[in-house]
Amino acid sequence: MTAILCRHFGLKHIETAEDIASETFLKATELWGTNGIPENPTAWLYTVAKNKTKDHLRRLNIFETQIKGTISADGFQAEQNIDFTQQTIVDSQLAMIFAVCNPTNSMEAQICLSLQILCGFSVEEIANAFLTKTETIKKRLFRARANLRNDNFQIKKLQKVTIQSRLDTVLKTLYLLFNEGYFSKSNNQLIRRDLCSEAIRLTLILTENPLTNTPQTNALLSLMCFQSSRLDARVSDTGEAILFEQQDKNLWDKELIEKGNYYLINACAGSTNWRTKYHLEAGIAYWHTTPTDENKWQYILQLYDQLILIAYSPITALNRAFAYAKVHGNKQAIKETENLNLIENSYYHSLLGYLYTDTDIDKANKHYNRAIDLTKSKTERKTLIRERDRLKE
């Protein structure tokens, strides 16, 4: 909705488009609660948005006084009737995400804007994705929006050179969107399927466009499919997280695993650069969905060794330490993990709690308690308490 409205207002008035979208959903919450959900809620929302836009233009006369004169001949002058058809929605979202990823801002700022504008992320969620403070994100977003307004650019037909220069940023945005859905640190739910689905949908759009159907795009979509295949097995009926080793593999979605295989083959076929971050992570996810191979943890560790070299992050290092334990044993993995010294990271302490379980109950208990103190996720806290309490059994 925001993307389509911005095609008419221009990104200089992006706050206006966002306000109209917010007012539309606010009206839905007010009316649907008493009158019930309409037969076609999507059409209802778009109709209300269209009417609110017309009212807004009449009230403030924005179109005549601020926008019409600035639209160039090759712009959207003929598109005075707001079109919410499916094709327009897809085209607008694709154009919008590339427009927001404008080099007038830093890459970090571009991603922050995309997550907020296109994905509906809160400041806290963006801060969690970047492992930084909320105040830093607030300032980053403020400056980035000001730069967009000052640049006064429009959402136009995508040019090949623009797509090629911005695709990496777009892919990273979708990667972070999926990660927040797959393991939410700022929501009472461990898994947010809506975010996972949205990330997959937008990435799928990229694979359907010849200019964006690259090996990296296919690798990212493969990763999302593999990870999504295990969503049903990751949470219990009571909403608690189920650790990988305790998951019911019968609940894994075989169709999504097959799709992951399909896109991973596409990502590697004819490509000379298949050792990208997304290729390696998709390979790791592939081996996680292959429960019968005795050597799979060796393959996973090898992939993590390569991933660490090209895209180091604390989470990657901790995930590698878990794989290291599977190959070389918990005692050796404890040394690997403690060398990371990520003492303010809840996963660091939960991993050490797991690794110490068989050899030092007191240290395991201490690390689980520290992980419980550090986590922001209520669901994760329940899981950690459960694992800690098992030490007493």
Side-chain angles (χ1 to χ4, degrees), residues 6 34 52 58 96 99 119 135 142 150 177 184 189 205-206 209 216 229 255 260 267-268 277 317-318 330 338 353 370:
C6 279
T34 55
K52 283 187 173 292
R58 276 197 298 267
M96 179 71 164
C119 309
E135 284 302 315
F142 181 81
N150 295 335
L177 171 61
S184 178
Q189 295 174 296
I205 290 174
L206 294 179
N209 187 307
Q216 289 86 347
S229 71
E255 184 177 350
C268 298
K277 169 186 172 67
L318 290 168
N330 288 7
E338 290 180 338
R370 183 56 181 152

Side-chain angles (χ1 to χ4, degrees), residues 49 88 96 130 160 177 189 194 199 218 273 278 280 283 303 318-319 337 349 360 369 389:
T88 302
M96 179 71 164
F130 278 89
K160 184 176 181 180
L177 171 61
Q189 295 174 296
D194 56 333
N218 279 270
N273 182 25
Y278 304 123
L280 294 172
L303 290 169
L318 290 168
N319 286 337
T337 305
H349 290 285
D360 194 326
N369 284 332
D389 292 346

Side-chain angles (χ1 to χ4, degrees), residues 47 83 132 147 160 238 257 270:
T47 300
D83 179 11
T132 189
N147 288 339
K160 184 176 181 180
T238 58
I257 293 175

Side-chain angles (χ1 to χ4, degrees), residues 345-355 367-368 371 380 384:
N345 186 299
S346 63
Y347 184 33
Y348 169 81
H349 290 285
S350 66
L351 177 58
L352 284 173
Y354 166 81
L355 295 174
H367 282 294
Y368 274 128
E380 186 182 18
L384 291 169

Side-chain angles (χ1 to χ4, degrees), residues 115 118-119 121 125 173-185 189-205 220-232 234-235 256:
L115 290 173
L118 285 169
C119 309
F121 271 37
E125 288 169 334
T173 300
L174 297 177
Y175 173 83
L176 291 174
L177 171 61
F178 182 85
N179 280 355
E180 175 60 26
Y182 186 76
F183 188 80
S184 178
K185 292 181 177 293
Q189 295 174 296
L190 177 70
I191 295 172
R192 298 179 63 184
R193 293 176 182 272
D194 56 333
L195 298 186
C196 291
S197 298
E198 183 69 359
I200 290 174
R201 188 182 67 81
L202 291 172
T203 309
L204 185 60
I205 290 174
L220 177 57
L221 186 53
S222 171
L223 169 64
M224 292 177 179
C225 290
F226 283 134
Q227 298 290 62
S228 295
S229 71
R230 296 189 287 113
L231 289 181
D232 288 340
R234 290 185 62 230
V235 179
L256 276 173

Side-chain angles (χ1 to χ4, degrees), residues 205-217:
I205 290 174
L206 294 179
T207 64
E208 293 171 347
N209 187 307
L211 295 178
T212 54
N213 185 28
T214 66
Q216 289 86 347
T217 304

Side-chain angles (χ1 to χ4, degrees), residues 88-372:
T88 302
I89 294 170
V90 171
D91 291 344
S92 296
Q93 287 181 302
L94 186 61
M96 179 71 164
I97 194 168
F98 277 93
V100 171
C101 292
N102 188 290
T104 191
N105 287 312
S106 67
M107 178 179 286
E108 290 80 7
Q110 294 171 39
I111 295 171
C112 286
L113 271 181
S114 298
L115 290 173
Q116 185 184 57
I117 295 169
L118 285 169
C119 309
F121 271 37
S122 67
V123 172
E124 182 186 6
E125 288 169 334
I126 298 173
N128 286 332
F130 278 89
L131 301 176
T132 189
K133 297 179 181 178
T134 55
E135 284 302 315
T136 301
I137 297 300
K138 285 180 182 179
K139 293 176 182 178
R140 191 177 293 173
L141 286 168
F142 181 81
R143 290 193 296 267
R145 283 175 175 268
N147 288 339
L148 286 186
R149 284 193 297 270
N150 295 335
D151 200 45
N152 194 28
F153 63 95
Q154 304 288 329
I155 299 180
K156 299 179 180 180
K157 184 177 180 180
L158 298 174
Q159 301 298 318
K160 184 176 181 180
V161 64
T162 300
I163 290 175
Q164 290 176 337
S165 64
R166 302 184 186 183
L167 183 57
D168 285 347
T169 306
V170 171
L171 293 179
K172 186 170 183 180
T173 300
L174 297 177
Y175 173 83
L176 291 174
L177 171 61
F178 182 85
N179 280 355
E180 175 60 26
Y182 186 76
F183 188 80
S184 178
K185 292 181 177 293
S186 51
N187 193 281
N188 291 337
Q189 295 174 296
L190 177 70
I191 295 172
R192 298 179 63 184
R193 293 176 182 272
D194 56 333
L195 298 186
C196 291
S197 298
E198 183 69 359
I200 290 174
R201 188 182 67 81
L202 291 172
T203 309
L204 185 60
I205 290 174
L206 294 179
T207 64
E208 293 171 347
N209 187 307
L211 295 178
T212 54
N213 185 28
T214 66
Q216 289 86 347
T217 304
N218 279 270
L220 177 57
L221 186 53
S222 171
L223 169 64
M224 292 177 179
C225 290
F226 283 134
Q227 298 290 62
S228 295
S229 71
R230 296 189 287 113
L231 289 181
D232 288 340
R234 290 185 62 230
V235 179
S236 69
D237 294 337
T238 58
E240 291 187 30
I242 301 176
L243 302 179
F244 177 78
E245 295 175 323
Q246 301 164 5
Q247 291 176 11
D248 181 356
K249 296 177 179 57
N250 293 321
L251 295 177
W252 292 0
D253 190 321
K254 294 181 176 58
E255 184 177 350
L256 276 173
I257 293 175
E258 290 175 0
K259 287 184 180 295
N261 288 329
Y262 171 79
Y263 288 111
L264 185 56
I265 291 172
N266 285 351
C268 298
S271 173
T272 57
N273 182 25
W274 59 269
R275 291 186 181 275
T276 68
K277 169 186 172 67
Y278 304 123
H279 284 82
L280 294 172
E281 290 200 27
I284 292 169
Y286 161 77
W287 283 112
H288 274 86
T289 59
T290 309
T292 56
D293 195 301
E294 295 179 357
N295 298 317
K296 76 171 188 174
W297 285 108
Q298 293 181 0
Y299 299 134
I300 290 173
L301 181 58
Q302 290 172 10
L303 290 169
Y304 269 124
D305 287 342
Q306 296 175 52
L307 184 60
I308 285 285
L309 295 175
I310 66 170
Y312 177 87
S313 75
I315 295 301
T316 300
L318 290 168
N319 286 337
R320 178 192 172 275
F322 180 81
Y324 192 91
K326 291 296 183 182
V327 177
H328 299 290
N330 288 7
K331 186 176 180 180
Q332 292 298 319
I334 288 172
K335 296 179 182 178
E336 288 282 316
T337 305
E338 290 180 338
N339 286 338
L340 298 174
N341 198 34
L342 300 170
I343 58 175
E344 297 302 317
N345 186 299
S346 63
Y347 184 33
Y348 169 81
H349 290 285
S350 66
L351 177 58
L352 284 173
Y354 166 81
L355 295 174
Y356 271 116
T357 296
D358 294 332
T359 57
D360 194 326
I361 297 297
D362 289 339
K363 283 189 176 180
N365 189 70
K366 177 183 176 182
H367 282 294
Y368 274 128
N369 284 332
R370 183 56 181 152
I372 291 167

